[in-house]
Amino acid sequence: CKKNFLDRQPTDSLSNSSLFSDSSDVIAALNGCYSGWSNPVSGLQGWADGYNVIYMDACSDNVYSQYPWEGFQAYGNGSATPGGVVPNGNSDNLYNYVTIQKCNWFLSNVTRAPISTGLLARTQSEARFIRAYQYFMMSQLYGGVPLVTSSLTPAQADAVQRTTKDSVTQFVLSELAAIAPNLPVAYSGGAGSEIGRITRGAAVALKARIELYTGDYADCITDCQQVMQLGYALYPSYTDLFREKFAENSEVILDVKYIGNTSTSNTNWVVGVMPSFTYGGWSSLDPLQSLVDAYEMTNGKTIDDPTSGYDASNPFANRDPRLAASVVYPGEQYPYADGSSNYYDPLDASSSDFYQSGNNTSVTGYLEKKFTAVLSDYNGDNGIFNTGLSMILIRYAEILLMDAEAKIESGKIDATVYNDLNQVRARAGMPAVDQSVYNSQATLRTLVRRERRVELALEGLRWFDIQRWQIGAQVMAGPVTGARLGTVNATTGVVTYTGGNIPVETRLFDPSKNYLWPIPQSEIDINKQLKQNPGY
Amino acid sequence: RPAAGQEVLKKKVSLVADQEELKTVFHRLSKEAGVKFIYISPGVPDQQRVTCLAVHEDLDVVLGRLLGPLHLRMEVVGNQVILKPEVPATVVVTARPVHGRVADGAGVPLEGVSVTVKGSNTGTMTDAKGAFTLDATEGTELVISYVGYASQTVKVTGGEVSVVLTKQQNSLNEVVVVGYGTQRKVDLTGSVSTVSAAQLEDRPVTSLGNALQGTMPGVTVIQNNGQPGRDAGSINIDGIGTLNSTAPLVVVDGIISSMNEVNPNDVESISVLKDAASAAIYGSRAANGVILITTKKGRKGASQIEYDVYVGKQTPTRLPDYLPSWQAATMYNQALANVGSAPVYSATDIQQYKDGSDPVGHPNTDWLNLFYNKKGLQQNHYLGISGGSEKTQYLFSLGYFDQEGNVAKTQAQRFTTRLNLTTQATRNLKAIANISYTFNPFQEPLSSYPGVSAFSQMIRQVNRISPMVPLKWANGDYAYIGDGNPIAWLNSPSLGTYNKYLLTGSAGLDWEPVKDLHVKPFVGYTLTQDQNKSYVADIQFYTATGSAGLYQGPNNVTDKYDNTTYVTLQATIDYMKHLGNHTLKILGGYSQEYTKYYELDGYRQSFLNNQLSDLNAASTTGQTSNGYSNELALQSFFGRFNYDYDGKYLFEANLRYDGSSRFDTANRFGTFPSLSAGWRISQENFFKPLRPIFSELKLRGSWGKLGNQNITGSNSDNTYYPYITTVSAGQNYVFGGANPAFAAGVAPINGANTALKWETTTETDLGLDAAFLQEALTFSAEYFVKNTSNILLNIPVSAPYGLNTPYQNAGAVQNKGWEFNANYRGRQGAFTYNIGANAAFIQNKVTSLAGTGPNISGITIQKVGLPINSFWGYEAEGLFQNATEVAKHATQSPNTGPGDIIYKDLNGDGKIDQTNDRTYLGTYFPKVTYGFNVGAGWKGIDLTAFFQGAAGVKGYAQGIAIGQVGTTVGKPTSAMLNAWTPSNPGASMPRLLTTSYLQNDPGTNPSSFWVRNASYLRLKNLQLGYTFPQGIARRIGAQRIRLYYSAQNILTITSFYKWIDPEAPAGTAGYDYPQIKTSTFGLNVTF
């Protein structure tokens, strides 16, 4: 018998030693860092993913996640437990080092490659950004997490300790500062181009976001100003900004890319969770009344202002246009994918969208609309579970709002603050800020916080605002509701209200524990060094 | 003759000789009978090998049997027997064919019975139906002899010869197939169970594995799906030995294969090697036990043609008893009331559901009836032709099996053919070649549900869609719920077709260069190909008003082709030596196995319409393809030593040295020894007085170690190359602006472990075999302890590792238990009967998880000290009766109210949480499995009933399998009629709740409330047959004609839910095709 009869090598995988021989190897290995991890349910995800963009609002007072098995409901109502992380639910991928491991591997090997110093610096910077983004997200959700920057053995991994949140944040900020100069401002070109790679704007914008979150307002303002010099602009249509066909528009600073109409990998199927049964979706994420109430009237007044003209029996008239662009409400004419039309009716028992039917219908009477405003974008093969919608992670409007907020918080209230806010409002079709009303730090603080909530609604940022503003006890506790009960006239869409708001659930919020998520119990079980967050 | 001579010849002797030299046999007889044999060699061929079996028979009878075929005659002088060559007789009468049939006392035909014309060298063997034909002259005598039965002599009269042999020795004298050879059952020192073809015959089983259910103690077959093509049961031997795959090794005629590819009609015998000592010779693969299947071989004599056929139909054993729509509506209202909501259905609605006056608006759709509406016809044909000359024997067979399911488009077929050849090429060289081919296609409908096209999804939706949803709207379009409409899917062109092609060939030699030294090289080859195609049609649903509603698409096809090549080379050398009362046997061998798997699949979508389904007919946009291969190589050296003293003391030792390509060089080989010994107490002199009642008693014991290197899982790199660090391709991302495109990426995905080594199973086994009342009653019992350690496990690693966890040697499992088997045969005149029973009591527990765990997965847990995958959840303490009780009890959930399940606060902290209040709730692995059979025969009529069951087993059903309430999704079962209400405080079910209230849900909040006793007793098979008198058979030129009715699974007694089969998978949630019962009529004809 042959001596090597038992020596068998895989024929579909590479060995480490044969890689990094030229620039194409380097790019392939870098693309591997972008590819993220493979979810057993939803297939390959990107380095960040659409799930967590839209589901994160279910952890806030904006949205109710109606299916516990999707993994986010418990974070919204305060019932999350260390052992209660839903396996294969959407949230269980957030305490995850797959992408970090890939970046660590890339960074420890790329220096072997015979490539130009420019390409080396750029590719290293992309990988360092992706790694920094993971640490940013994890430290926001869990507080301090083990900071791992090289490959570990199973035994080492099972004994790592948590690094403090401050140290993780400092690491992320210093990484972002270091890599920004090495990254290009933009990638050009059409199909097959490299648009979607990390840019300098992304690095600086993320840095600004973290500085705002940590209250480092001076640096935040500096970074926002730097981004403003990079050529970004608000996209004229608030609705179209979020449509697949207008991807990579002038407002987008950082997004995660998908491709539609493919079998399983890299499609953004999470779009399908938003529309209701009648529109071919699941109604997984249902907006709450609290979000709807946050939108101003078109005259710039809030609905609780007696002079605003708000009519409780016609609540959706004369509201901030961003409400209709973000939420489907009872009686709204919301076209099907084939273009035929219908008045959305979650209120009548005979309707197939009845809020109590238990058949993939919204239980709050509202649907998310931001990413599904024009369902005909997803008609035919390219259906709502098979889309190529890029999910925006950072866009220019947030830079403007961050600049304004940082200045308000640091007491530097000048014309640029109003200019930032007015740019955002004007694009949405709202009047300029009434400077006679909003003339103090306190009133402007209220305004910028509301403006952030409605402008960035359903984009996964609300929870981080609640966290840093420490307003959980005010906004996250107690009963939450949906739309008012009544009947929808099927031919006119006119709603006749006959009852109170739909009760959805009663939430609990304990400020001593609920600002952080629990470390999954399975991790604590394996690694005895890992300390649980307080209260869990 | 002198009187002394007569006495000598009437001495009772016992003799067991299996291919022993005549000289040795005479030596033993002379000792036993106290006579002296005198003969002159070479006139008497004293080195001729003979086989003879006798227990307490007259010496002359024994000698007659022994000497007849050798043409020797004897004379007795005093106590001396003089042997001489017979004077050749002159043939004066022409011989002509004589037909006959041999059966045992129960009327069961005996196969392989030797029939010789007394005083000549003409002889033949009976076939599987007990029939024989040979040329003999009228007036001569036929000697009919068979191992274990008393021989008979019959005079040839010209008519048909019909012989009933009575059992003389028990089945302990059977020859049993063991690893790389055969052994007589009396000589076994390990734990081996056998099943013969007769026990499996004529049962309408769809696969051989399922036929084994309940036939042997300790061999647990669980069949939890009745879908054609997917109904293969899982087999466990002596418990669940590992946390890995527990499937035993299956060896068909020396080649590793699978139970389900063998045509049950082709099988001659099955041996199951249960303990480590007997399985040790298959060390590298044997940790879960070994099933050795021997196929039928041709026999010397005239050609036999056998034709078997059966046709029948099947129906589900149990289907969920969902309630009609008016009750579903009423109960939904009740659930709404329970959660504080207003009712949705008015009294008028409910009346309309009840009277059917509005069939579209208020229908009562019986979805199950629309779904399970096919007859489920099943047919099986088998044609076997066998025979052979003195030197060459052959068997050729053709089989066709066709099973249609009860759902349209479900079907499985099996086409088999086999040719087995044996030839004595030269005096000392025998060649054996077998070739078989199986084509095994099956198909099933597929669903258009996005991302989950599996047929199980369709079953789930059928069990889920409410009777209040119409099949079609008034305009004729299919109605639908959020997930679609299962009947629309069923009637669409979606189809999964799975073709399996299996070619198996082997060739071997048996060369005896020196007397008693056998050299046996062997080569085996199998080629398995799968061609699987899943075509999923797209469906546009329309609303009741005709608008385009739900779209499920695009239509797409996945075409998958894979191919497994397996080549094994083996060689053994064995040698046997008798030294007086000592018998020594040694065997040495080498084996290598090489497996290569190759897979290629392509996916395309967006066909123009749903008429074509080949890849080329679809758009290339969005197409994907995958391809990979993997290899596995095993290399083994092994040896066996047997020692036997006078048939009383038996000893065996095995040693095996195995290497696997799955391990790194340093850990590649493992050494696995075993020892076993037996003592046949009944052969001792002191036991002689007991023999009339107590004819056999043997004690045996064994100890051994076995290795396992098999790692199962879907990740090929991890399971085939677990020690090699790799970088995976396919880690792609998307770049580009408005028209993005894939960008190829690579990254490390799989963790590797260079320290990985063999998993080891150590088993100790003690057994006792006994026979009573002239072998009419046999009994065996054994006790075993089996410890598996260093289990190859994919234990979790802390997240910062960032790679798919590598396999590690972690964890240990223990199984121990008792096994019993007893059989009795009797007769009253023409009425014969037999009864048999077996039972196994097995306990299993996880003894180590290498410091990790417990691993909780849904309703089950892996935890040290508990059985593998035990149920894990809250301890239910009944139902809350009022709000005061709720308030006084530990906090469960904010929604808890009267009628909800009370969970025990195990840690007493005043709140119920999953971390602290869950506990062990039982296991779904049966504590006891048993089977028993009764058979009776009377003048050609035979009746057998075979029962099988399990006790001490828990079942768990959840979700739609239990029933839900809803408007369009979820439907209640009859059990929910007994839901809690204030006026029904003693209810068996908690109060009805809408589906978003999960406090009682068996999936979200597992509790003992939902753990049910799933013990059962099943009439697995009932057969009533009639064998026509031979006169009638011969009129159409047949030797034997038997007509029978056979039914499978016809009766099940259980306290589990009356609509869920007790063998349904643990945690069944309504996704499973039901278990089926089958009734068939069959015919066996032998020409």
Side-chain angles (χ1 to χ4, degrees), chain A residues 118-368:
Chain A
L119 184 61
L120 177 66
R122 193 201 96 193
T123 54
Q124 282 176 320
S125 299
E126 288 176 59
R128 285 166 77 182
F129 178 91
I130 292 169
R131 182 174 64 182
Y133 188 84
Q134 312 299 312
Y135 279 118
F136 157 68
M137 283 295 286
M138 276 203 282
S139 60
Q140 283 298 122
L141 299 170
Y142 300 99
V145 291
L147 182 63
V148 176
T149 54
S150 61
S151 298
L152 301 180
T153 64
Q156 288 169 331
D158 288 350
V160 290
Q161 301 197 19
R162 294 177 68 176
T163 308
T164 64
K165 181 176 180 187
D166 279 351
S167 304
V168 176
T169 304
Q170 282 317 307
F171 170 77
V172 172
L173 288 173
S174 69
E175 285 286 284
L176 294 173
I179 64 177
N182 301 329
L183 288 165
V185 171
Y187 290 90
S188 58
S193 73
E194 307 222 81
I195 288 178
R197 290 193 180 278
I198 307 302
T199 59
R200 184 179 306 167
V204 181
L206 180 61
K207 185 159 168 277
R209 184 191 279 177
I210 297 168
E211 286 154 352
L212 181 73
Y213 287 5
T214 56
D216 187 358
Y217 300 119
D219 286 341
C220 175
I221 294 164
T222 310
D223 285 333
C224 288
Q225 295 299 321
Q226 192 190 339
V227 177
M228 288 177 191
Q229 306 309 312
L230 294 176
Y232 297 104
L234 293 178
Y235 191 69
S237 164
Y238 184 76
T239 299
D240 291 348
L241 170 58
F242 303 103
R243 291 174 63 188
E244 183 174 336
K245 65 171 73 164
F246 302 106
E248 312 299 344
N249 60 59
S250 58
E251 189 169 339
V252 178
I253 297 173
L254 177 66
D255 64 1
V256 54
K257 299 287 296 172
Y258 291 96
I259 188 162
N261 201 18
T262 54
S263 55
T264 52
S265 311
N266 301 84
T267 61
N268 186 358
W269 69 272
V270 74
V271 171
V273 310
M274 291 179 277
S276 68
F277 157 64
T278 320
Y279 299 92
W282 296 349
S283 296
S284 292
L285 294 167
D286 304 337
L288 291 168
Q289 188 63 38
S290 154
L291 172 65
V292 171
D293 288 345
Y295 289 85
E296 297 172 1
M297 302 297 287
T298 42
N299 58 17
K301 295 183 177 179
T302 56
I303 62 167
D304 52 2
D305 182 340
T307 66
S308 67
Y310 176 71
D311 176 4
S313 60
N314 194 8
F316 306 108
N318 303 320
R319 298 292 294 276
D320 182 335
R322 286 174 292 191
L323 172 57
S326 306
V327 174
V328 181
Y329 47 77
E332 181 178 342
Q333 193 166 25
Y334 181 43
Y336 293 106
D338 69 353
S340 66
S341 206
N342 181 39
Y343 293 103
Y344 174 61
D345 178 8
L347 305 181
D348 291 281
S350 60
S351 164
S352 53
D353 274 321
F354 183 50
Y355 78 101
Q356 277 191 334
S357 82
N359 180 19
N360 299 307
T361 61
S362 167
V363 296
T364 68
Y366 296 118
L367 298 176
E368 291 202 4

Side-chain angles (χ1 to χ4, degrees), chain B residues 360-379:
Chain B
V360 173
H362 295 81
N364 179 22
T365 313
D366 187 346
W367 293 97
L368 264 53
N369 200 31
L370 291 165
F371 191 64
Y372 300 104
N373 65 354
K374 295 291 172 199
K375 288 199 177 71
L377 296 180
Q378 183 171 325
Q379 55 175 314

